[in-house]
Amino acid sequence: VALSCGLCAERLCNALQEFQGVVRAHINPATATLTLAYDPAAVSSGLLTEQARRVETQIAERYAHRTYHVSGMDCAHCAEGL
């Protein structure tokens, strides 16, 4: 979920940047990849992988994603009201 939803991807990056040793987190939505810049003297790649999976699961559990089919919304103003 976190890699396919732009807002959740941002949440994941922000959460990971809070961890000690993480310098930068970036998600490329086109390739669904997470890139972390980190200090290997401060944190291991294995621990970062575990933390990323845990945080992604927490985000997915907290923020539900649903797709709804809406018809008859050919007015931009009305669609914006949704």
Side-chain angles (χ1 to χ4, degrees):
V1 170
L3 296 179
S4 61
C5 168
L7 190 53
C8 286
E10 185 178 338
R11 288 178 177 121
L12 177 61
C13 286
N14 290 340
L16 292 173
Q17 288 178 158
E18 295 292 320
F19 289 114
Q20 181 178 351
V22 175
V23 177
R24 185 175 47 93
H26 174 74
I27 291 180
N28 181 335
T31 60
T33 56
L34 168 66
T35 302
L36 294 172
Y38 66 97
D39 178 0
V43 64
S44 71
S45 63
L47 181 59
L48 285 176
T49 300
E50 289 175 25
Q51 290 174 333
R53 287 185 178 139
R54 182 179 53 78
V55 171
E56 183 177 16
T57 298
Q58 289 172 344
I59 290 170
E61 289 173 353
R62 180 166 181 198
Y63 300 97
H65 294 79
R66 303 223 183 338
T67 301
Y68 296 96
H69 176 73
V70 178
S71 62
M73 284 286 180
D74 44 339
C75 168
H77 180 72
C78 293
E80 198 174 283
L82 287 177

